[in-house]
Amino acid sequence: MNFDLTEEQVMIKKMMTEFADKEVAPFASENDREEKFPWDIVKKMGELGIFGTVIPEEYGGGGFDYISHAIVAEELGRVDSSVRGIYSVQISLVALTILKWGTEEQKKKYLPKLANGEILGCFGLTEPNSGSDVVSMQSSAVRDGDYYILNGNKMWITNGGVADIAIIFAKTDKSMGHKGITAFIVEKGVDGFSSKDIHNKLGLRASNTAELILQDVRVPKENILGNEGDGFKVAMSALDNGRYTVAAGCVGLAQGCYDVAKKYAVERVQFGKPIAGHQLVQELFADMIVEIEAGRLLVYRAGHLKNKHLPHTREVSMAKLFCSEMVNRVAYKALQVFGGYGFSSEFPIERYYRDARINTLYEGTSQIQKLIIANRELGISAF
Ligand SMILES: Cc1cc2nc3c(=O)[nH]c(=O)nc-3n(C[C@H](O)[C@H](O)[C@H](O)COP(=O)(O)OP(=O)(O)OC[C@H]3O[C@@H](n4cnc5c(N)ncnc54)[C@H](O)[C@@H]3O)c2cc1C
């Protein structure tokens, strides 16, 4: 077993730490306050190849390994979860899904542009009345010659209002349960396809979240991702990738919470010494760092399995479950270190605290992760 990062991973970490500190962190607070989508940062990420990481070089990506992918998500998540979310969706939910399920034509058409940030993608699975229970979705796709006609609404879609392409899941056969779902690539601008931004979120306020509306949208049959009826499998494999970068982002955000709390604790003096010198404050730091490091190891283990192309659904769900709950505990404790100042926007900890909350909810709630893990353990599905 080797716990060391490779030279390439060390270099990527260094580059991403600098990028996050210089190009992302200074704008995070204002973007959060004003709900401003960080177009400038997205443009720079595209130019630097940050959206290409794990995409193979033949499709315009960087050909990085999955630990490096986690490191990028970690470093972005350390300073701005909204930016980390944009990265996660673009690569994990969209590009990697096209890489795994797309035809050669689809890969050549979309992957280089996703990798260099020329286009943004989004992933439309959730609906107003279908969240955890994906199979209950109402969106439909009806064959009409060389086209499918899509109707339905998708809810809470990250990048939904800014994306150029969307992976949309819809039922091609309502009688077939999970085998009746199909995935489509839908391009922005096509008649009947629109979006409505969702505002005033608790966290991730600089990230775009939208409802997608599909009214008689004509999608050519060449835009099916995988085969007709493969949609559920496509969605689950995408979520295996998505949850991985969510977990890594949680480790990064928890580290960000820890770092700002540490700086404050050594500077703030109460009872004649830095608060870091009080035993109960030290307990907060010990609790935080043990959890952060445990989370990081769970993420890297899942990444190791991904690098080896071994089954990893159980390990990714474990990492997602632990890290998403962990980051909320860490954010709570880090904010406690700040006392009343933690309750103001003077320090980034209040944004980190709000941003932590989403992680136990999206890409499968904590309850759903537990059911996935227990199913693997017991061989009995609770769904
Ligand atoms: C900011 C944000 C961004 C998002 N981005 C995307 C995106 O890009 N693409 C996308 O498709 N979706 C996205 N989502 C949607 C997200 O994945 C869903 O909100 C999530 O899957 C939960 O679904 P739901 O909200 O309908 O909750 P529900 O499924 O209604 O769950 C409500 C509660 O019931 C519990 N529950 C449900 N079923 C069970 C069960 N069988 N056993 C035990 N407990 C259960 C849940 O754990 C939860 O606590 C996003 C959501 C948000 C808030």
Side-chain angles (χ1 to χ4, degrees), residues 313-340:
T313 298
R314 172 180 173 272
E315 289 73 15
V316 166
S317 275
M318 284 180 170
K320 201 275 185 181
L321 171 63
F322 180 82
C323 295
S324 63
E325 295 287 344
M326 173 277 284
V327 72
N328 280 282
R329 291 192 292 270
V330 167
Y332 180 93
K333 287 175 181 163
L335 195 147
Q336 191 70 15
V337 170
F338 282 84

Side-chain angles (χ1 to χ4, degrees), residues 63-246:
F64 293 0
D65 74 295
Y66 277 86
I67 304 288
S68 303
H69 186 32
I71 289 170
V72 175
E74 236 181 290
E75 287 307 305
L76 294 173
R78 185 173 56 79
V79 297
D80 190 341
S81 293
S82 291
V83 174
R84 196 277 302 156
I86 296 165
Y87 171 82
S88 282
V89 170
Q90 176 85 343
I91 301 192
S92 294
L93 290 180
V94 178
L96 286 177
T97 309
I98 294 175
L99 181 68
K100 181 172 166 70
W101 295 92
T103 60
E104 199 49 40
E105 259 185 11
Q106 289 170 341
K107 291 188 217 181
K108 285 196 176 122
K109 182 172 181 190
Y110 297 114
L111 291 180
K113 290 183 180 171
L114 287 164
N116 69 17
E118 199 179 321
I119 60 170
L120 287 181
C122 71
F123 181 83
L125 181 64
T126 307
E127 298 185 356
N129 294 314
S130 159
S132 304
D133 182 9
V134 169
V135 181
S136 69
M137 73 170 60
Q138 293 297 309
S139 292
S140 63
V142 177
R143 184 80 185 251
D144 179 22
D146 286 342
Y147 289 83
Y148 284 81
I149 314 292
L150 269 61
N151 278 289
N153 285 44
K154 295 290 171 181
M155 192 65 186
W156 298 118
I157 308 306
T158 305
N159 292 351
V162 293
D164 301 280
I165 60 165
I167 298 179
I168 296 289
F169 296 84
K171 279 197 173 155
T172 33
D173 186 341
K174 289 196 173 172
S175 69
M176 292 283 284
H178 72 279
K179 290 188 176 153
I181 298 171
T182 303
F184 298 87
I185 302 174
V186 183
E187 297 190 6
K188 193 177 191 170
V190 60
D191 279 351
F193 186 34
S194 60
S195 67
K196 201 167 135 202
D197 288 351
I198 298 169
H199 292 289
N200 294 318
K201 302 192 298 278
L202 173 68
L204 298 190
R205 288 168 56 86
S207 146
N208 175 275
T209 312
E211 180 175 359
L212 301 180
I213 301 126
L214 297 110
Q215 284 175 329
D216 294 328
V217 177
R218 286 174 75 77
V219 180
K221 68 177 185 349
E222 294 77 36
N223 284 30
I224 284 190
L225 198 47
N227 293 313
E228 189 176 307
D230 276 348
F232 187 77
K233 283 192 280 179
V234 174
M236 294 307 121
S237 82
L239 288 170
D240 266 350
N241 286 319
R243 287 166 185 157
Y244 178 67
T245 36
V246 170

Side-chain angles (χ1 to χ4, degrees), residues 2 18-19 136 150 185-186 224 257 267 291 297 311 319 339 369:
N2 182 359
E18 280 172 19
F19 180 80
S136 69
L150 269 61
I185 302 174
V186 183
I224 284 190
C257 292
E267 286 168 2
E291 291 224 84
L297 289 176
Q369 303 312 317

